[in-house]
Amino acid sequence: MTSFTEVVSVLDFQGSDTEKIQKAIQFASLKENPSTVYVPKGDYVITSTILLREGVHLTFAYDARFVVYGNQDVVHIERNTSITGAYIAIDDSNFNKNVLVFNGKNKYYNSWHRSTFKHINIVNWAGNHNGKGIYMYSGGIGHEISFLQFDDIKLVGLHTAMELRVTKPSSGYSWINANSFNNVTIDDCVRGIWMNSAKTIPNEASGNNFTNLQIQLSPSTQSAIRVTGEFNAFDGVLWDDHLVQNPSALLHLTVNSQATVFRIRGNYRVLDDGTRNNY
């Protein structure tokens, strides 16, 4: 396996399903080996956290699935990686962790990196609305998550579909800025997009762009979109607010929001505690 045109199959390795996948990723991360890991059709039982190493592209067959048991994060993602075609199902009522985890300590900041995540389904089958689908966290000195591209993402039955959290570092700045999320469907989640940051530096989540959002509410939904940071933009449709107990809390432009562009269609009210927001 020396040609860049070749791929590594997880079935080329021994052990449990989780071990096979991690061994394939580790092999592909070595410079002299192919950088694409292929998950053939079938269900793969995931019982511990997988580390997607820098420079590796993880791609799934159309009928391949990760089925998660236990209470641990599913995939920790380093910079300059990509995932295509993933189907990740939570089938354990004890699960209350994160599915795809991006930690700003990895410093995802170069726009020329191939940091693309597309055609991904994350579904909680367990029926308890637990877990976070996409979790981004930045909180250390110079920690940053920027210029990541997401396309065709479906998040179903979770507590929080997507969380962007930036905490104040001991000194300097931390960011979750300039990320793009296109064609995102959020269905039957307690929280849809949940942002938690300051309005601006030293800990900001700003300039993130959400386009072609489809947010399907359910009786379990408490919040559709909560905004912090500045210059974030949202465009999409909110469905069936009559299913929600408190529709006035669905869309919240917090006191830490500024210059948000908000183009969400549907029957709803916006709670705007921020400044210079446009909706």
Side-chain angles (χ1 to χ4, degrees):
M1 295 182 179
T2 56
S3 170
F4 71 93
T5 60
E6 294 181 284
V7 298
V8 180
S9 171
V10 300
L11 299 184
D12 292 338
F13 299 85
Q14 301 298 315
S16 67
D17 289 344
T18 309
E19 290 169 341
K20 292 176 185 176
I21 294 160
Q22 190 62 69
K23 288 177 181 178
I25 291 170
Q26 182 63 32
F27 182 85
S29 70
L30 302 175
K31 290 183 178 179
E32 64 270 21
N33 294 327
S35 59
T36 296
V37 172
Y38 179 64
V39 183
K41 68 177 181 178
D43 287 349
Y44 297 81
V45 175
I46 307 301
T47 55
S48 59
T49 302
I50 294 166
L51 175 62
L52 185 57
R53 302 297 301 272
E54 183 172 355
V56 175
H57 173 212
L58 184 64
T59 183
F60 286 63
Y62 186 78
D63 47 0
R65 300 185 297 194
F66 284 0
V67 183
V68 179
Y69 295 94
N71 188 29
Q72 66 286 319
D73 293 342
V74 182
V75 185
H76 285 184
I77 299 170
E78 294 186 343
R79 69 177 187 174
N80 194 23
T81 59
S82 63
I83 300 175
T84 302
Y87 193 111
I88 303 175
I90 309 303
D91 200 25
D92 191 328
S93 60
N94 294 314
F95 181 86
N96 199 24
K97 296 291 187 178
N98 312 295
V99 179
L100 301 183
V101 179
F102 300 82
N103 191 320
K105 69 180 182 181
N106 292 307
K107 299 188 177 180
Y108 319 76
Y109 57 79
N110 289 334
S111 57
W112 56 85
H113 283 164
R114 294 182 174 181
S115 301
T116 303
F117 306 87
K118 58 185 180 180
H119 312 316
I120 296 173
N121 286 37
I122 300 174
V123 182
N124 187 336
W125 284 347
N128 55 3
H129 295 92
N130 280 347
K132 297 174 185 176
I134 295 173
Y135 179 58
M136 295 180 167
Y137 169 74
S138 194
I141 301 170
H143 289 189
E144 180 174 358
I145 304 173
S146 298
F147 303 115
L148 302 186
Q149 301 280 331
F150 296 82
D151 187 30
D152 185 19
I153 311 295
K154 297 180 176 67
L155 304 141
V156 184
L158 299 154
H159 181 272
T160 303
M162 305 171 58
E163 180 170 345
L164 284 65
R165 177 177 292 270
V166 191
T167 59
K168 185 177 180 180
S170 58
S171 63
Y173 306 135
S174 60
W175 301 272
I176 299 179
N177 289 354
N179 300 288
S180 297
F181 304 85
N182 186 40
N183 298 318
V184 175
T185 298
I186 296 171
D187 186 0
D188 185 29
C189 293
V190 178
R191 294 174 176 174
I193 299 166
W194 187 266
M195 302 177 72
N196 195 331
S197 73
K199 183 180 295 185
T200 183
I201 55 175
N203 55 308
E204 68 172 1
S206 296
N208 300 289
N209 197 26
F210 299 81
T211 54
N212 298 321
L213 282 169
Q214 298 286 342
I215 302 178
Q216 175 62 60
L217 307 174
S218 78
S220 298
T221 304
Q222 297 176 9
S223 171
I225 303 174
R226 180 184 191 269
V227 182
T228 62
E230 58 182 349
F231 307 121
N232 295 295
F234 301 83
D235 179 88
V237 182
L238 193 71
W239 295 98
D240 296 330
D241 70 311
H242 66 279
L243 298 174
V244 179
Q245 292 184 1
N246 186 10
S248 64
L250 286 174
L251 302 171
H252 188 190
L253 304 176
T254 71
V255 67
N256 282 335
S257 68
Q258 180 170 275
T260 308
V261 175
F262 213 62
R263 296 289 182 268
I264 302 295
R265 291 156 318 270
N267 295 318
Y268 61 86
R269 289 182 294 171
V270 176
L271 178 59
D272 185 2
D273 295 321
T275 56
R276 306 199 330 264
N277 292 316
N278 184 342
Y279 56 91

